[in-house]
């Protein structure tokens, strides 16, 4: 059994490093762009007197870096092949290896750099769930209209599942969509309800709104996804929620008599949750890789500092009180890294088998690997927070200051213990695999886990 990364994956990462060092880091260091990454980062990124929204020059810099990465052929690696993706049969292992590498790198790691600033999911290698959803569930007209527009930035969509009163209990959502006739007499739907934590709402052109179209609360059936332009009458941003890590682009929106044509439906009517679950596992394993990498960054930085810092006439690293917590974190991180990479490799194998049989891979991945993916995700996010906290402690006063990125890492990665499925939901999923409680809600005890 070989535990090394495949040679072509290693070579791809090497090319990314070359691109970052030749193109992205010089841009980061140009003029005063480092104000977005040094001790001034939060202030430079945030419009404190305009709802806490991101500053325009901050987002313009991210857009410039994305354009350079796309022109260099890196940004669209995980896209469908017909839209510029690599079409790799090792997509999950490659994306996990890339995200781990970028987050753990000693120079631009930790998720606080122009190469890979994870506060807003910016990276030179893109992770765009909406493209995958459109590719697999969109009509040809929707694909042609929205996928190229997503890449060039003229189509930007929020993801409308979470509500004011409902988060993980998505099947109990309050938002409804009822059939109606539009002004021109064509069939459509009227949407009423609300959505919360709509990331990117300040610049979104559309929102993918999930609404109940039939059935009872609690049923996974009867929920439909709609592509709703944010300019539609009745669609309103009510507020932007200030968060532990600023700037904020997480909106609460209301939908009052929002009317859309039937052509706005994405995927099957009454089975929209399948769309929401399309990219869940890929997103969770990639997030786990980023969190694991950021934990490695914090551990390595702490070891370097402890070896250099002299206290009471000897290196700080000579103290077992410093050594042992980092030994434990390093051990946990290394075991987790191997589990993430193995799980990603297994996901690629399951995907290849499913594609060979002519079916989508997500149900198979859920059946066979959902528990392992849950392990990777919840534990990585928790470990990263622990590693960042320990780095602050090892560095002492400067660790608490913004001279170092550890406080930023802790504040950012802390949210992943809630988003992408809270760690409690993830642990429940793992328990379901351990104790045999899996169910799709459709009488299949070994199915897709929609009720987990």
């Amino acid at each position: 059994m070989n535990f090394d990364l495949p040679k072509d994956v290693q070579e791809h990462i090497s090319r990314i490093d070359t691109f970052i060092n030749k193109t992205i880091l010089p841009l980061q260091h140009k003029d005063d762009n480092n104000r977005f990454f040094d001790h001034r980062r939060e202030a430079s990124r945030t419009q404190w007197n305009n709802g806490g929204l991101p500053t325009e020059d901050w987002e313009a810099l991210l857009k410039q870096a994305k354009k350079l990465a796309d022109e260099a052929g890196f940004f669209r690696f995980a896209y469908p092949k017909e839209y510029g993706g690599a079409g790799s049969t090792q997509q999950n292992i490659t994306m996990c290896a890339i995200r781990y590498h970028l987050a753990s790198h000693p120079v631009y790691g930790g998720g606080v750099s122009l190469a890979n600033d994870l506060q807003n999911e910016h990276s030179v290698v893109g992770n765009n769930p909406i493209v995958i959803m459109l590719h697999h569930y969109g009509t040809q007209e929707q694909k042609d209209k929205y996928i190229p527009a997503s890449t060039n930035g003229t189509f930007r969509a929020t993801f409308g599942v979470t509500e004011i009163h409902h988060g993980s209990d998505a099947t109990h959502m309050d938002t409804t969509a009822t059939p109606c006739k539009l002004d021109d007499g064509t069939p459509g739907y009227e949407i009423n309800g609300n959505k919360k934590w709509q990331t990117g709402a300040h610049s979104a052109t559309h929102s993918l709104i999930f609404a109940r179209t039939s059935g009872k609360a609690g049923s996974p059936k009867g929920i439909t996804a709609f592509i709703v332009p944010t300019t539609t009458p009745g669609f309103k941003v009510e507020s932007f929620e200030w968060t532990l890590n600023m700037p904020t682009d997480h909106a609460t929106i209301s939908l009052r008599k929002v009317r859309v044509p039937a052509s706005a439906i994405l995927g099957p009517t009454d089975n929209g949750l399948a769309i929401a679950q399309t990219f869940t596992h890929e997103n969770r394993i990639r997030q786990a890789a980023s969190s694991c990498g950021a934990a490695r960054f914090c551990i390595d930085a702490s070891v370097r500092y402890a070896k250099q810092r002299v206290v009471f006439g000897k290196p700080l690293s000579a103290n077992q009180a410093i050594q042992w917590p980092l030994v434990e974190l390093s051990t946990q991180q290394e075991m987790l890294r191997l589990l993430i990479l193995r799980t990603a490799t297994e996901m690629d194998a399951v995907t290849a088998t499913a594609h060979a049989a002519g079916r989508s891979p997500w149900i198979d991945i859920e059946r066979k690997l959902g528990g392992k993916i849950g392990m990777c995700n919840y534990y990585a996010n928790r470990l990263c927070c622990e590693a960042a906290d320990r780095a602050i402690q090892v560095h002492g006063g400067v660790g608490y200051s913004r001279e170092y990125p550890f406080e930023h890492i802790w504040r950012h990665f802390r949210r992943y213990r809630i988003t992408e499925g809270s760690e409690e939901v993830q642990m429940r999923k793992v328990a379901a695999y351990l104790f045999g409680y899996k169910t799709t809600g459709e009488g299949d005890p070994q199915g897709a886990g929609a009720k987990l």
Side-chain angles (χ1 to χ4, degrees):
M1 183 178 293
N2 188 351
F3 291 95
D4 293 333
L5 287 174
K7 184 178 179 181
D8 56 340
V9 175
Q10 295 182 47
E11 291 173 347
H12 187 70
I13 290 174
S14 179
R15 290 193 292 271
I16 292 173
D17 274 340
T18 299
F19 165 71
I20 290 172
N21 283 288
K22 288 186 175 180
T23 305
I24 298 299
L25 291 185
L27 176 60
Q28 177 176 325
H29 300 319
K30 184 180 179 181
D31 300 325
D32 194 26
N33 287 339
N34 270 320
R35 71 189 187 277
F36 298 117
F37 307 100
D38 62 20
H39 65 278
R40 302 167 290 174
R41 54 188 170 264
E42 194 168 36
S44 298
R45 297 177 181 195
T46 307
Q47 298 183 56
W48 297 106
N49 295 319
N50 185 27
L53 293 171
T55 56
E56 293 181 1
D57 49 356
W58 163 234
E59 294 197 310
L61 180 62
L62 297 179
K63 185 177 180 180
Q64 185 179 358
K66 173 184 171 181
K67 184 174 183 293
L68 291 170
D70 195 30
E71 291 172 349
F74 294 112
F75 185 79
R76 289 189 240 180
F77 174 83
Y79 276 38
K81 189 173 183 178
E82 55 266 49
Y83 295 101
S88 173
T89 58
Q90 300 179 115
Q91 182 166 295
N92 287 297
I93 182 63
T94 305
M95 284 296 288
C96 284
I98 290 171
R99 288 172 75 87
Y100 176 87
H101 175 76
L102 294 179
S104 65
H105 196 278
V107 176
Y108 47 76
V112 193
S113 78
L114 188 55
N116 192 54
D117 197 283
L118 296 173
Q119 182 186 26
N120 46 10
E121 295 301 323
H122 165 79
S123 178
V124 295
V125 182
N127 187 48
N128 195 334
I130 194 68
V131 168
I132 307 300
M133 295 174 191
L134 286 164
H135 178 245
H136 288 282
Y137 290 100
T139 64
Q140 192 59 50
E141 180 181 1
Q142 289 171 337
K143 294 177 187 179
D144 294 342
K145 181 178 181 180
Y146 294 128
I147 292 182
S150 180
T151 302
N152 65 34
T154 56
F155 172 78
R156 301 178 299 278
T158 68
F159 191 69
V161 175
T162 303
E163 299 183 344
I164 295 173
H165 302 294
H166 300 286
S168 298
D169 56 340
T171 58
H172 291 263
M173 65 177 58
D174 295 328
T175 303
T176 61
T178 55
C180 68
K181 291 288 186 180
L182 302 182
D183 292 343
D184 61 3
T186 58
Y189 285 82
E190 181 179 292
I191 305 174
N192 289 279
N194 66 83
K195 296 295 173 183
K196 193 165 186 174
W197 304 116
Q198 296 301 284
T199 304
H202 68 297
S203 61
T205 60
H206 294 73
S207 184
L208 185 59
I209 296 294
F210 291 79
R212 183 161 292 283
T213 45
S214 68
K216 296 180 179 180
S219 171
K221 289 291 187 181
I223 294 173
T224 303
F226 298 86
I227 304 174
V228 180
T230 56
T231 55
T232 306
F235 185 104
K236 182 182 178 183
V237 173
E238 297 289 350
S239 62
F240 286 97
E241 311 309 320
W242 287 43
T243 61
L244 186 66
N245 212 15
M246 295 292 283
T248 182
D249 60 352
H250 312 293
T252 296
I253 66 171
S254 60
L255 302 119
R256 298 185 177 93
K257 296 184 177 180
V258 173
R259 294 193 164 200
V260 295
S263 60
I265 292 175
L266 176 64
T269 303
D270 293 334
N271 198 25
L273 278 187
I275 300 172
Q277 294 169 342
T278 296
F279 202 65
T280 297
H281 295 307
E282 284 91 341
N283 237 12
R284 285 178 178 170
I285 197 72
R286 294 174 189 181
Q287 177 54 53
S290 291
S291 293
C292 188
R296 180 79 264 165
F297 174 87
C298 293
I299 295 165
D300 290 346
S302 298
V303 170
R304 285 195 302 271
Y305 181 82
K307 291 166 69 175
Q308 296 167 1
R309 176 74 167 176
V310 176
V311 294
F312 302 108
K314 62 181 180 181
L316 183 62
S317 61
N319 297 291
Q320 289 179 333
I322 297 297
Q323 296 171 4
W324 289 6
L326 291 172
V327 166
E328 290 198 18
L329 286 169
S330 187
T331 301
Q332 293 163 356
Q333 185 277 330
E334 183 62 15
M335 290 189 294
L336 177 62
R337 181 185 70 87
L338 293 172
L339 178 62
I340 290 170
L341 295 177
R342 173 176 173 170
T343 303
T345 300
E346 292 174 342
M347 289 172 68
D348 285 330
V350 170
T351 298
T353 300
H355 285 165
R359 62 177 182 270
S360 296
W362 296 291
I363 290 178
D364 290 356
I365 288 175
E366 167 62 31
R367 285 173 174 163
K368 298 177 180 180
L369 298 170
K372 284 187 180 179
I373 295 167
M375 288 179 185
C376 293
N377 188 270
Y378 96 79
Y379 199 80
N381 298 331
R382 183 187 295 179
L383 182 67
C384 184
C385 291
E386 293 176 354
D389 185 78
R390 178 50 52 181
I392 291 172
Q393 191 70 21
V394 170
H395 284 75
V398 293
Y400 186 69
S401 77
R402 300 192 182 201
E403 178 182 346
Y404 287 87
F406 309 121
E407 56 82 31
H408 181 102
I409 293 170
W410 187 91
R411 285 186 292 115
H412 168 66
F413 282 89
R414 181 61 182 83
R415 79 175 186 175
Y416 290 118
R417 294 176 64 186
I418 301 170
T419 61
E420 289 302 320
S422 68
E423 65 180 37
E424 292 82 5
V425 168
Q426 303 276 17
M427 293 174 75
R428 183 169 177 244
K429 177 179 283 292
V430 175
Y433 277 79
L434 288 177
F435 296 101
Y437 294 148
K438 293 181 292 180
T439 176
T440 63
E442 299 176 359
D444 176 9
Q446 298 298 318
K451 286 216 172 188
L452 298 180

Short mmCIF file of all heavy atoms in Angstrom, two decimals, residues 1 12 23 54 83 98 148 166 172 181 196 263 277 334 412 417:
data_model
loop_
_atom_site.label_atom_id
_atom_site.label_comp_id
_atom_site.label_asym_id
_atom_site.label_seq_id
_atom_site.Cartn_x
_atom_site.Cartn_y
_atom_site.Cartn_z
N MET A 1 0.85 -1.19 0.00
CA MET A 1 0.00 0.00 0.00
C MET A 1 0.89 1.24 0.00
O MET A 1 1.78 1.36 0.84
CB MET A 1 -0.92 -0.01 1.23
CG MET A 1 -1.90 1.16 1.25
SD MET A 1 -3.01 1.10 2.68
CE MET A 1 -3.98 -0.35 2.26
N HIS A 12 1.26 18.70 -10.13
CA HIS A 12 0.28 19.77 -10.27
C HIS A 12 0.44 20.79 -9.14
O HIS A 12 0.41 22.00 -9.38
CB HIS A 12 -1.14 19.19 -10.28
CG HIS A 12 -2.20 20.20 -10.59
ND1 HIS A 12 -2.35 20.76 -11.84
CD2 HIS A 12 -3.17 20.76 -9.82
CE1 HIS A 12 -3.35 21.61 -11.83
NE2 HIS A 12 -3.87 21.62 -10.61
N THR A 23 3.51 35.01 -9.64
CA THR A 23 2.42 35.89 -10.06
C THR A 23 1.59 36.43 -8.90
O THR A 23 1.33 37.63 -8.83
CB THR A 23 1.49 35.15 -11.04
OG1 THR A 23 2.26 34.65 -12.13
CG2 THR A 23 0.41 36.08 -11.56
N PRO A 54 -17.82 44.06 2.69
CA PRO A 54 -16.43 44.09 2.21
C PRO A 54 -16.14 45.38 1.45
O PRO A 54 -17.02 45.93 0.76
CB PRO A 54 -16.34 42.88 1.28
CG PRO A 54 -17.49 42.00 1.67
CD PRO A 54 -18.58 42.92 2.12
N TYR A 83 -16.60 22.69 -19.37
CA TYR A 83 -16.57 24.10 -18.99
C TYR A 83 -15.18 24.51 -18.48
O TYR A 83 -15.05 25.45 -17.70
CB TYR A 83 -17.64 24.38 -17.94
CG TYR A 83 -19.03 24.19 -18.48
CD1 TYR A 83 -19.75 23.02 -18.20
CD2 TYR A 83 -19.63 25.14 -19.31
CE1 TYR A 83 -21.02 22.82 -18.71
CE2 TYR A 83 -20.90 24.94 -19.82
CZ TYR A 83 -21.59 23.79 -19.52
OH TYR A 83 -22.86 23.59 -20.04
N ILE A 98 -4.51 19.76 -2.68
CA ILE A 98 -4.26 21.18 -2.97
C ILE A 98 -4.68 22.05 -1.80
O ILE A 98 -3.93 22.92 -1.34
CB ILE A 98 -5.02 21.61 -4.25
CG1 ILE A 98 -4.40 20.97 -5.49
CG2 ILE A 98 -5.04 23.13 -4.38
CD1 ILE A 98 -5.21 21.16 -6.76
N PRO A 148 -21.08 29.69 -17.84
CA PRO A 148 -20.03 30.63 -18.28
C PRO A 148 -20.10 31.95 -17.52
O PRO A 148 -19.08 32.54 -17.19
CB PRO A 148 -20.33 30.82 -19.77
CG PRO A 148 -21.10 29.60 -20.17
CD PRO A 148 -21.93 29.25 -18.98
N HIS A 166 -34.98 28.07 10.97
CA HIS A 166 -34.60 26.70 10.62
C HIS A 166 -33.20 26.67 10.02
O HIS A 166 -32.90 27.42 9.09
CB HIS A 166 -35.59 26.09 9.63
CG HIS A 166 -36.99 26.01 10.16
ND1 HIS A 166 -37.38 25.10 11.10
CD2 HIS A 166 -38.08 26.79 9.90
CE1 HIS A 166 -38.65 25.28 11.40
NE2 HIS A 166 -39.11 26.30 10.70
N HIS A 172 -38.06 21.35 7.56
CA HIS A 172 -39.13 22.09 8.25
C HIS A 172 -39.18 23.55 7.79
O HIS A 172 -39.77 24.38 8.48
CB HIS A 172 -38.93 22.02 9.76
CG HIS A 172 -39.17 20.67 10.34
ND1 HIS A 172 -40.35 20.28 10.91
CD2 HIS A 172 -38.36 19.59 10.41
CE1 HIS A 172 -40.27 19.04 11.34
NE2 HIS A 172 -39.05 18.58 11.04
N LYS A 181 -50.32 32.18 -11.97
CA LYS A 181 -50.22 32.69 -13.33
C LYS A 181 -49.49 34.02 -13.29
O LYS A 181 -49.82 34.91 -12.50
CB LYS A 181 -51.60 32.87 -13.95
CG LYS A 181 -52.34 31.57 -14.23
CD LYS A 181 -51.73 30.83 -15.42
CE LYS A 181 -52.58 29.60 -15.77
NZ LYS A 181 -52.00 28.85 -16.91
N LYS A 196 -31.71 33.06 5.67
CA LYS A 196 -30.68 33.70 6.48
C LYS A 196 -29.30 33.16 6.09
O LYS A 196 -29.18 32.10 5.50
CB LYS A 196 -30.94 33.46 7.97
CG LYS A 196 -30.11 34.35 8.89
CD LYS A 196 -30.63 34.35 10.33
CE LYS A 196 -29.86 35.36 11.17
NZ LYS A 196 -30.44 35.48 12.53
N SER A 263 -39.81 28.13 -15.48
CA SER A 263 -38.47 27.84 -16.01
C SER A 263 -37.37 28.17 -15.01
O SER A 263 -36.20 27.83 -15.22
CB SER A 263 -38.24 28.63 -17.30
OG SER A 263 -38.34 30.03 -17.06
N GLN A 277 -27.88 18.35 -1.65
CA GLN A 277 -26.97 17.31 -1.21
C GLN A 277 -25.94 16.92 -2.28
O GLN A 277 -25.02 16.14 -2.00
CB GLN A 277 -27.76 16.06 -0.80
CG GLN A 277 -28.63 16.29 0.44
CD GLN A 277 -29.59 15.15 0.68
OE1 GLN A 277 -29.88 14.35 -0.20
NE2 GLN A 277 -30.13 15.08 1.89
N GLU A 334 -1.67 14.57 11.96
CA GLU A 334 -1.11 13.63 10.99
C GLU A 334 -2.06 12.46 10.75
O GLU A 334 -2.25 12.03 9.59
CB GLU A 334 0.24 13.12 11.48
CG GLU A 334 0.95 12.18 10.50
CD GLU A 334 1.27 12.81 9.16
OE1 GLU A 334 1.22 14.05 9.04
OE2 GLU A 334 1.57 12.06 8.20
N HIS A 412 -11.99 32.72 11.99
CA HIS A 412 -12.57 32.24 10.73
C HIS A 412 -12.98 30.78 10.81
O HIS A 412 -14.12 30.43 10.50
CB HIS A 412 -11.59 32.42 9.57
CG HIS A 412 -12.03 31.68 8.34
ND1 HIS A 412 -13.17 32.02 7.65
CD2 HIS A 412 -11.55 30.57 7.74
CE1 HIS A 412 -13.34 31.16 6.65
NE2 HIS A 412 -12.38 30.28 6.69
N ARG A 417 -17.37 24.89 12.46
CA ARG A 417 -17.96 23.93 13.40
C ARG A 417 -19.48 24.06 13.43
O ARG A 417 -20.16 23.28 14.09
CB ARG A 417 -17.36 24.16 14.80
CG ARG A 417 -15.87 23.83 14.87
CD ARG A 417 -15.29 24.16 16.22
NE ARG A 417 -15.90 23.32 17.27
CZ ARG A 417 -15.66 23.48 18.56
NH1 ARG A 417 -14.84 24.46 18.97
NH2 ARG A 417 -16.23 22.70 19.44
#
